[in-house]
Structure formats: structure tokens, C-alpha cells
Amino acid sequence: MSAQLERTAIVTGAARGIGAATAKQLAQDGFAVAVLDLDEQACAPVVDEITAAGGQALAVGADVSDEQAVTDAVAAVAGRLGDPTVLVNNAGITRDNLLHKMSVDDWDAVTKVHLRGAFLMGRAVQKFMASTGWGRIVNISSTSALGNRGQANYSAAKAGLQGFTKTLALELGRFGVTANAIAPGFIETDMTAATAARLGMEFEDFIDAVAGQIPVQRTGRPDDIAHAVSYLVSERAGFVSGQVLYVAGGPHA
Ligand code: NAP
């Protein structure tokens, strides 16, 4: 068995969208994968797909912003799949509004899931990575980190994740752990479908309009991000740390 087959990955927000594609990709890459999301039942289709393809996966229900839930979830993963040495902080929500209409609840909800969630998950898994002498952390940021109208909360959280990533790279490098961020552009998921609905547009029309603004003339798909994660958690990426990889079909948001 190769060293990589013995490794366990946790992907948060993995019941659907980018997280589900990433969980399936990492299983294909030989990792045992904890498919973590708010609702354990919602993880079942992803787990079933992985196991049907011959992989190993575990559904884990947890709110990444809840300290005790994170502690329990990581302990369950370590006990049932093995010490987690790969973490993909992907769970996320949006609560878009212009600044003058943004409530404190909208601000807190978004920063809590993205920032507090990534912090709690990272803190809980780093001890397994340090004791193994190997680890990979990938935080899912966004092109919105560069600023996006109506997303003061989300863009602040996604920019914050980039600083968090660089600090983890500095602190954990000596333990064989790399930390990187991926900043996706527009990816076709329920999250962007909800944005289309909020704008009163059909999703297909929204996709067409956005695609025309992207240099490669198409919008992104969850697999585009999963492939980038696959590289960053691989052995081959061991000298890449503290970076932000924009996966957006071009150089700009
Ligand atoms: P999605 O389809 O909405 O999926 C997000 C998943 O995260 C959902 O399954 C959701 O569960 C889960 N989640 C939310 N809050 C959670 C919490 N507190 N604890 C655990 N799980 C939680 O979103 P996506 O488009 O795949 O996005 C995935 C990540 O990529 C997010 O961080 C997002 O900000 C980022 N991103 C997306 C895009 C894009 O264009 N789609 C672009 C840039 C960055 P529920 O279904 O139960 O809410």
C-alpha cells in the first residue's frame, strides 16, 4: 500500500457542490474521505457514490462553527477512518446585501462559518498532521476576496481566509504541513443558482451572461476546483505553501 492510501481527508460542506466534487476526487486519489456537512443524512449520496466506486468514506454531521461539534467530528473521523492529515475547508454560506442594508446577523453568520469554521477545523486537525509529520490544508477562498458589490461580509471572510492560510503555512511548515488557498471564480452550484434567483434570472441565462465576461468563455464547474485541490494535497505539491491559487478562467474576478 502506498503511503498516500493510508491517509485520511476531511472535506467540509461536502454534501453538494464544490465540496462533493472534491470529496469524490480525493477518494479517487486514494484517500479515505470524511464527507462532513451540517446534516449527516445529506452526505449519504456522496458517501454511497464513493463506496460504490471502491473507495472509503464516512458521513459526518457537524456545524463547523460549533467548537464542540468540531471536536467530536474530528475525533470520530480519527477513530473510524484514521488520523486526518488532509483538511479542505470548503463549507460556506452567503448572506448578500449592500452595506447599508446588511444586518449584524448577516455579517456574523458569514464570518462564523468561513473564518471561525476554518479556524476550529484547522486547530482540531493540526495535531494529527504534526504527529504524522505530513499534512495538507486547503482553504476555499473566492475571487470575492478582491471585493464584490453586495458581499462585504463574504469578501471580508474570504480575504481573511487568505491571511489565515499564509499564517498556517508559516506555523506548520516545520511539521511537513502545507497550507494553501484556492480562490474560485464563478462555479455552477446551488450557491450561484441562488444568486441568479435573487437577481430574478434563469440560471442558464445568468451562466451565459457571466461566461461572456470570463476569458475562457465559460463558467466553472465543481470539478475545476476539485482538480486544483487534488494537486495541492498531492506529494508533488510539497514545496507549494502559503499560496492563493485563483481558479477563475482568467486573471481577474
Ligand atoms: P453550496 O453548494 O452552497 O455548498 C456549501 C455546503 O456547505 C452545503 O452543503 C452547506 O450545507 C454546507 N455548509 C454551510 N454551512 C455549514 C456549516 N456551518 N457547517 C458545515 N457545513 C456547512 O456551495 P458551493 O458553491 O459548493 O461553495 C463551496 C465553497 O466554495 C464555499 O466556501 C463558497 O464560498 C466557495 N466558493 C464558491 C463559489 C461559487 O461560484 N459557487 C465561488 C467562490 C468560492 P447546507 O446545504 O445544509 O446549507
Side-chain angles (χ1 to χ4, degrees), residues 171-223:
E171 291 187 9
L172 300 177
R174 70 190 60 190
F175 302 108
V177 178
T178 67
N180 292 285
I182 293 173
F186 185 106
I187 309 296
E188 297 165 24
T189 68
D190 291 348
M191 186 177 274
T192 40
T195 305
R198 205 165 40 249
L199 296 172
M201 290 177 78
E202 290 297 325
F203 194 32
E204 289 308 315
D205 295 339
F206 190 44
I207 286 172
D208 287 347
V210 173
Q213 309 295 314
I214 297 174
V216 300
Q217 297 289 294
R218 72 164 175 88
T219 49
R221 294 182 277 270
D223 276 345

Side-chain angles (χ1 to χ4, degrees), residues 13 16 18 37 62-64 90 141 154 158 184-185 187 189 191-192:
R16 55 187 167 92
I18 293 168
D37 212 294
D63 176 347
V64 295
N90 166 81
S141 177
Y154 185 80
K158 291 306 200 185
I187 309 296
T189 68
M191 186 177 274
T192 40

Side-chain angles (χ1 to χ4, degrees), residues 11-21 36-39 42-43 60-66 70 89-95 109 112-114 117 139-144 151 154 158 161 182-195 220 222 225 247:
V11 183
T12 71
R16 55 187 167 92
I18 293 168
L36 186 151
D37 212 294
L38 277 174
D39 175 12
C43 301
V60 182
D63 176 347
V64 295
S65 67
D66 177 331
V70 166
N89 280 313
N90 166 81
I93 60 168
T94 53
R95 295 283 184 275
K112 236 177 124 176
V113 176
H114 296 271
N139 296 315
I140 305 300
S141 177
S142 168
T143 51
S144 294
Q151 290 197 313
Y154 185 80
K158 291 306 200 185
L161 269 180
I182 293 173
F186 185 106
I187 309 296
E188 297 165 24
T189 68
D190 291 348
M191 186 177 274
T192 40
T195 305
I225 306 308
V247 181

Side-chain angles (χ1 to χ4, degrees), residues 26-94:
L26 296 191
Q28 266 183 43
D29 293 346
F31 291 95
V33 182
V35 178
L36 186 151
D37 212 294
L38 277 174
D39 175 12
E40 185 179 325
Q41 297 297 323
C43 301
V46 178
V47 169
D48 290 347
E49 205 176 316
I50 290 172
T51 49
Q56 197 185 354
L58 175 72
V60 182
D63 176 347
V64 295
S65 67
D66 177 331
E67 185 177 12
Q68 191 58 52
V70 166
T71 303
D72 295 346
V74 171
V77 173
R80 295 184 58 189
L81 287 183
D83 290 358
T85 52
V86 169
L87 170 65
V88 183
N89 280 313
N90 166 81
I93 60 168
T94 53

